[in-house]
Amino acid sequence: MARYSDEIIDEIRRNNDIVDVISQYVNLKKSGRSFFGLCPFHSEKSPSFAVSPDKQIFHCFGCGAGGNVFHFIQKVENVGFKESVEMLANRANITLPTVDDGQDNKLAHLKSRVYEINKQTAQFYHENLYKPTAKVAQEYIKKRKLDNNTLKTFLIGYSGNFNELYNYLKSQGFTEEEILASTLVNKNEKGEFIDRFRKRLMFPIQDERGRVIAFGGRILEDSKIQNVKMPKYINSSENIVYSKGRHLFGLYAAKQKQKIDKMIIVEGYMDCISLHQRGITNVVASLGTALTEAQGRLLRNNSNQVIIGYDADGAGQAATLRGLEILQNLGCDLRILQLDEPVKDPDEYILKYGPERLQRCVDNAISLVEFKVKLLKNKLDLNHPNDKIKFLTEIAKELAKINSDLEKEVYVDKIAFDYKISKEAIYAEINKLTHGNNRSERMLNEKKIVKKPEQEIKPKVQEDNATKKENMIIYLLINYPDQSYEKLREKIGYEKIKNERNRQIIKKLYEELEKGNSINNALDLFQDEETISFLSWVMAYDFEITEADKAIEDILNNYEKDKLISMRNEIIHALDNTENLTKDEIASLEQSLNEVILKLARMK
């Protein structure tokens, strides 16, 4: 039987968004950042079944079932893990290996070699950039005002002539099969090996884990062949480690700099790099392609708000509209960047006006409704009655899509004031659209209507105070590993955890983080259904954390307080039995008790 590699499992997971999958079985309604519906695993009248697109997990607060997309398919289809993998692979049109473990391992080995080729190639091109032969690239870098720190952060490089890369990779011990699999080198009809990228400025593309998976190359002035039109940018061909449209340039760099609340997406490499250099680091680029659904999921899963900052030209506006549709369908909180001066793109703007002014534009990015109102206003003459009627009709269509009555009211008030249209007329048009199809909708969806949960249903877990703190530790380790791991591990060893299940979970998380492994898919670390369901509850539970550092500090203080209380009680117990103690021992205990009491007093 084939043993599917971790990379294949990750690819299948990335291509099966949990909301999309579960929506085929459960009628889900969005509430906040999550989706709710009636649990398919037990009978209920009020929805307690939650799906988190950010964490890619589900959890029922009624029966306790929970897990990731594989666990859901296993449970709902009553199949094993292997069958769930195969079903989801088929859904995403991913071909699974139908060979034995040996050949599967061979493919995994080839992938690891291609990753290594990409890593060494990025370094090779980067070192080339500093050589005398790269003068044209150095002049371009100087013109674009990129500093050395930026060059190193993004490993920007320069590709040379004909087969320089091929010869280098051969000298490093890579085989022809491995080099060709990387698609960085092609073999022509004469049997010659020719580098794909020649005399271009090179941009390595990294995945979320920081692995180099592909390259983009920009043509430079002296690279142009006379009378032959060369494409300005070319990218790596798809291969065993790279699938176009499933990654975002700059995402890894952005995640290293800060916890991302707002993510700006721009069109090109240079837009992204220029903004990063000038202190605006929550920026990614869509790799020169129209935004895809897979990229939309990456944006949604890595930020609370997405700001589209595409170019101001016709192509950029068209790309913005396509991106808006994708991101809106994915349930993203959307904004559109509006530059307050007529420039082509964010790179040109930041060079001309500076990062502070661009940041103000980011902070004032407009909503989807405002953007569509602006587009309509520019297309129509609102002084003409027919155009004004069309304007009202189209705006009502957008407002009818808004679920929140409060949000709808805010927009109605603003549009009525700005465009001298009565609120009653706007509401009448919205009601016509909303209720016109109500009868047919009710007939179709009567049995499927899911109400927003009036209040969160508490899990069927009996918690004492100590267990609550332990659950919080698990939550912090999974969601804020970089901030929490070292502090928690130093002060709270897993042996101090009282609940056996929590102890085993925290021990495992500590071990993985100690090895430097990612725990983004923490559920994969455990096998038994009870632990997986419990862990999904912890991940889905709202601990109301506004500042991770403060939450970590509170946990550490609570454990220190518990430790002092325990010491105080032990000393008091010892002082209650002084028959076998000397005066000096009693005095020492009394001094220790005073010190402990003082420390406790300071903590209140």
Side-chain angles (χ1 to χ4, degrees), residues 447-600:
K447 294 183 179 179
K448 293 184 177 180
I449 289 175
V450 177
K451 295 180 181 177
K452 178 180 174 181
E454 294 180 5
Q455 61 182 20
E456 182 179 84
I457 299 174
K458 294 299 179 183
K460 297 178 180 179
V461 179
Q462 294 299 319
E463 293 184 296
D464 55 26
N465 192 46
T467 304
K468 286 180 181 178
K469 286 184 285 189
E470 293 168 6
N471 294 344
M472 176 75 88
I473 290 172
I474 294 170
Y475 182 88
L476 290 168
L477 286 171
I478 291 173
N479 289 282
Y480 306 96
D482 295 338
Q483 294 165 261
S484 67
Y485 166 62
E486 289 188 3
K487 293 177 182 177
L488 293 175
R489 180 68 184 87
E490 180 185 356
K491 300 288 186 181
I492 309 171
Y494 70 84
E495 64 280 352
K496 294 182 181 179
I497 304 301
K498 296 178 180 179
N499 181 282
E500 175 62 26
R501 177 177 55 198
N502 287 351
R503 187 185 310 123
Q504 294 306 316
I505 291 172
I506 291 170
K507 179 182 179 184
K508 184 65 176 174
L509 296 178
Y510 279 166
E511 287 173 352
E512 293 299 314
L513 291 167
E514 179 68 27
K515 295 174 188 174
N517 295 337
S518 168
I519 55 171
N520 286 339
N521 299 313
L523 296 177
D524 292 350
L525 300 173
F526 305 92
Q527 300 297 322
D528 65 289
E529 187 176 339
E530 185 179 340
T531 299
I532 289 167
S533 294
F534 168 75
L535 202 52
S536 72
W537 168 73
V538 173
M539 294 168 70
Y541 189 78
D542 183 8
F543 285 94
E544 298 181 350
I545 293 175
T546 53
E547 294 181 32
D549 288 333
K550 186 178 185 308
I552 294 164
E553 197 61 36
D554 287 345
I555 284 289
L556 294 174
N557 286 338
N558 278 328
Y559 268 84
E560 181 63 23
K561 186 176 180 180
D562 289 346
K563 176 183 171 184
L564 291 172
I565 290 171
S566 179
M567 289 173 60
R568 181 197 64 188
N569 293 342
E570 287 176 7
I571 295 170
I572 290 172
H573 178 73
L575 288 171
D576 285 341
N577 300 276
T578 57
E579 302 87 37
N580 299 320
L581 298 178
T582 65
K583 288 184 178 180
D584 288 342
E585 287 172 334
I586 293 171
S588 177
L589 285 171
E590 289 174 342
Q591 182 180 348
S592 296
L593 180 60
N594 286 333
E595 290 171 357
V596 169
I597 290 171
L598 282 172
K599 286 180 181 178
L600 281 169

Side-chain angles (χ1 to χ4, degrees), residues 195-227:
D195 296 349
R196 174 176 175 80
F197 298 98
R198 300 183 300 281
K199 299 182 77 174
R200 286 177 179 266
L201 191 69
M202 299 303 297
F203 302 93
I205 299 166
Q206 294 174 289
D207 64 10
E208 277 193 280
R209 295 165 61 180
R211 298 176 300 187
V212 178
I213 54 172
F215 293 84
R218 188 197 192 282
I219 199 167
L220 298 168
E221 289 304 315
D222 79 340
S223 307
K224 295 178 181 178
I225 301 174
Q226 192 173 12
N227 299 323

Side-chain angles (χ1 to χ4, degrees), residues 3 7 89 104 119 150 161 168 196 207 267 287 336-337 342 345 385 415 418 427 436 443 482 484 509 514 570 580:
R3 180 187 60 81
E7 289 178 342
D104 193 19
K119 179 181 176 182
T150 297
N161 290 316
Y168 170 75
R196 174 176 175 80
D207 64 10
E267 282 190 58
L287 296 171
I336 299 89
L337 182 66
D345 52 39
I415 291 166
D418 290 346
Y427 276 119
M443 290 174 68
D482 295 338
S484 67
L509 296 178
E514 179 68 27
E570 287 176 7
N580 299 320

